[in-house]
Coordinates of all heavy atoms in Angstrom, one line a residue:
W69 N 7.7 59.5 31.1 CA 7.9 59.3 32.5 C 7.5 57.9 32.9 O 6.6 57.6 33.7 CB 7.0 60.3 33.3 CG 7.5 61.7 33.1 CD1 6.8 62.7 32.3 CD2 8.6 62.4 33.7 NE1 7.6 63.9 32.3 CE2 8.7 63.7 33.2 CE3 9.6 62.0 34.6 CZ2 9.6 64.6 33.5 CZ3 10.6 62.9 34.9 CH2 10.6 64.2 34.4
Y70 N 8.4 57.0 32.4 CA 8.2 55.6 32.8 C 9.6 55.1 33.1 O 10.6 55.4 32.5 CB 7.6 54.7 31.7 CG 6.1 54.9 31.7 CD1 5.5 55.9 30.9 CD2 5.3 54.0 32.4 CE1 4.2 56.0 30.8 CE2 3.9 54.1 32.3 CZ 3.3 55.2 31.5 OH 2.0 55.3 31.5
W71 N 9.7 54.2 34.1 CA 11.0 53.4 34.4 C 10.8 52.0 33.8 O 9.8 51.4 33.8 CB 11.1 53.2 35.9 CG 11.6 54.3 36.7 CD1 12.7 55.1 36.4 CD2 11.1 54.8 37.9 NE1 12.9 56.1 37.4 CE2 11.9 55.9 38.3 CE3 10.0 54.5 38.7 CZ2 11.6 56.7 39.4 CZ3 9.8 55.2 39.9 CH2 10.6 56.3 40.2
C72 N 11.9 51.5 33.1 CA 11.9 50.1 32.7 C 12.4 49.3 33.8 O 13.4 49.5 34.5 CB 12.9 50.0 31.5 SG 13.0 48.3 30.8
I73 N 11.6 48.2 34.1 CA 11.9 47.3 35.2 C 12.5 46.0 34.8 O 13.0 45.2 35.7 CB 10.7 47.1 36.1 CG1 9.6 46.4 35.3 CG2 10.2 48.4 36.7 CD1 8.4 45.8 36.2
G74 N 12.5 45.6 33.5 CA 13.1 44.4 33.1 C 13.0 44.1 31.6 O 12.3 44.8 30.9
Y75 N 13.6 43.0 31.2 CA 13.7 42.7 29.8 C 13.5 41.2 29.6 O 13.9 40.4 30.5 CB 15.1 43.1 29.2 CG 15.4 42.4 27.9 CD1 14.9 43.0 26.7 CD2 16.2 41.3 27.7 CE1 15.2 42.5 25.5 CE2 16.4 40.7 26.5 CZ 15.9 41.3 25.4 OH 16.2 40.8 24.2
S76 N 12.9 40.8 28.5 CA 12.8 39.4 28.2 C 13.1 39.2 26.7 O 12.7 40.0 25.9 CB 11.3 38.9 28.5 OG 11.2 37.5 28.2
G77 N 13.8 38.1 26.4 CA 14.2 37.9 25.0 C 14.5 36.4 24.8 O 15.1 35.8 25.7
F78 N 14.1 35.9 23.7 CA 14.4 34.5 23.4 C 14.2 34.3 21.9 O 13.6 35.1 21.2 CB 13.4 33.5 24.1 CG 12.0 33.7 23.8 CD1 11.4 32.9 22.8 CD2 11.2 34.7 24.4 CE1 10.0 33.1 22.5 CE2 9.9 34.8 24.0 CZ 9.3 34.0 23.1
N79 N 14.7 33.2 21.4 CA 14.6 32.8 20.0 C 13.6 31.6 19.9 O 13.8 30.6 20.6 CB 15.9 32.4 19.4 CG 15.8 32.1 17.9 OD1 15.6 30.9 17.5 ND2 15.9 33.1 17.0
G80 N 12.7 31.7 19.0 CA 11.7 30.6 18.9 C 10.9 30.6 17.6 O 11.1 31.5 16.7
A81 N 10.0 29.7 17.4 CA 9.2 29.6 16.3 C 8.2 30.7 16.2 O 7.9 31.4 17.2 CB 8.5 28.2 16.2
E82 N 7.6 30.9 15.0 CA 6.6 32.0 14.8 C 5.5 31.8 15.8 O 5.0 30.7 16.1 CB 6.1 31.9 13.4 CG 4.9 32.8 13.1 CD 5.3 34.3 13.1 OE1 5.7 34.8 14.2 OE2 5.2 34.9 12.1
L83 N 5.0 32.9 16.3 CA 3.8 33.0 17.2 C 2.8 34.0 16.7 O 3.1 35.0 16.1 CB 4.3 33.4 18.6 CG 5.3 32.5 19.4 CD1 5.8 33.2 20.6 CD2 4.6 31.2 19.8
E84 N 1.5 33.6 17.0 CA 0.5 34.6 16.7 C 0.6 35.8 17.6 O 1.0 35.7 18.8 CB -0.9 33.9 16.9 CG -1.2 32.8 16.0 CD -1.4 33.2 14.5 OE1 -1.7 34.4 14.3 OE2 -1.1 32.4 13.6
T85 N 0.2 37.0 17.1 CA 0.2 38.2 17.8 C -0.6 38.1 19.1 O -0.3 38.5 20.2 CB -0.2 39.4 17.0 OG1 0.7 39.6 15.9 CG2 -0.3 40.7 17.8
S86 N -1.7 37.4 19.0 CA -2.6 37.2 20.1 C -2.0 36.4 21.2 O -2.1 36.7 22.4 CB -3.9 36.5 19.7 OG -3.7 35.3 19.1
E87 N -1.2 35.4 20.9 CA -0.4 34.6 21.8 C 0.6 35.4 22.6 O 0.8 35.4 23.8 CB 0.3 33.4 21.2 CG -0.6 32.4 20.6 CD 0.2 31.3 19.9 OE1 0.7 31.5 18.8 OE2 0.3 30.2 20.5
I88 N 1.3 36.3 21.8 CA 2.3 37.1 22.4 C 1.7 38.2 23.4 O 2.1 38.3 24.5 CB 3.1 37.9 21.3 CG1 3.9 36.9 20.5 CG2 4.1 38.9 21.9 CD1 4.5 37.4 19.3
N89 N 0.6 38.8 22.9 CA -0.1 39.8 23.7 C -0.6 39.1 25.0 O -0.5 39.7 26.1 CB -1.2 40.4 23.0 CG -0.8 41.3 21.9 OD1 0.4 41.8 21.9 ND2 -1.6 41.6 20.9
E90 N -1.1 37.9 24.9 CA -1.6 37.3 26.1 C -0.5 36.9 27.1 O -0.6 37.1 28.3 CB -2.4 36.0 25.7 CG -3.0 35.3 27.0 CD -3.8 34.0 26.5 OE1 -3.8 33.7 25.3 OE2 -4.3 33.4 27.5
A91 N 0.6 36.4 26.6 CA 1.7 36.1 27.4 C 2.3 37.3 28.1 O 2.6 37.2 29.3 CB 2.8 35.4 26.6
L92 N 2.4 38.4 27.4 CA 2.9 39.6 28.0 C 2.0 40.3 28.9 O 2.4 40.9 29.9 CB 3.4 40.6 26.9 CG 4.7 40.2 26.2 CD1 5.0 41.2 25.0 CD2 5.9 40.2 27.1
M93 N 0.7 40.2 28.7 CA -0.3 40.7 29.5 C -0.2 40.0 30.9 O -0.3 40.6 32.0 CB -1.7 40.5 29.0 CG -2.8 41.1 29.7 SD -3.0 42.9 29.4 CE -3.6 42.9 27.7
N94 N 0.0 38.6 30.9 CA 0.1 37.9 32.1 C 1.4 38.2 32.8 O 1.4 38.3 34.1 CB 0.0 36.4 31.8 CG -1.3 35.9 31.3 OD1 -2.4 36.5 31.6 ND2 -1.4 34.8 30.5
L95 N 2.4 38.4 32.1 CA 3.7 38.7 32.7 C 3.6 40.1 33.3 O 4.2 40.3 34.5 CB 4.8 38.7 31.6 CG 6.2 39.0 32.2 CD1 6.7 37.9 33.2 CD2 7.3 39.0 31.0
C96 N 3.0 41.1 32.7 CA 2.8 42.4 33.3 C 2.0 42.3 34.6 O 2.4 43.0 35.6 CB 2.1 43.3 32.3 SG 3.1 44.0 31.0
K97 N 1.0 41.5 34.6 CA 0.2 41.4 35.8 C 1.0 40.8 37.0 O 0.9 41.2 38.1 CB -1.1 40.6 35.5 CG -2.1 41.3 34.6 CD -3.3 40.4 34.4 CE -4.3 41.1 33.5 NZ -5.4 40.3 33.1
E98 N 1.8 39.8 36.6 CA 2.7 39.2 37.6 C 3.7 40.1 38.1 O 4.0 40.2 39.3 CB 3.4 37.9 37.0 CG 4.3 37.2 38.0 CD 5.0 36.0 37.3 OE1 4.4 35.4 36.4 OE2 6.1 35.7 37.8
K99 N 4.3 40.9 37.3 CA 5.4 41.8 37.7 C 4.9 43.2 38.0 O 5.6 44.1 38.4 CB 6.5 42.0 36.6 CG 7.1 40.7 36.1 CD 7.7 39.9 37.4 CE 8.3 38.6 37.0 NZ 8.9 37.9 38.1

Side-chain angles (χ1 to χ4, degrees):
W69 297 103
Y70 283 88
W71 283 311
C72 181
I73 61 170
Y75 167 82
S76 181
F78 63 96
N79 182 270
E82 172 71 293
L83 296 169
E84 295 291 336
T85 297
S86 58
E87 293 179 285
I88 296 172
N89 288 341
E90 182 179 359
L92 286 175
M93 188 80 69
N94 292 334
L95 183 60
C96 280
K97 291 177 180 178
E98 179 181 332
K99 304 301 178 182

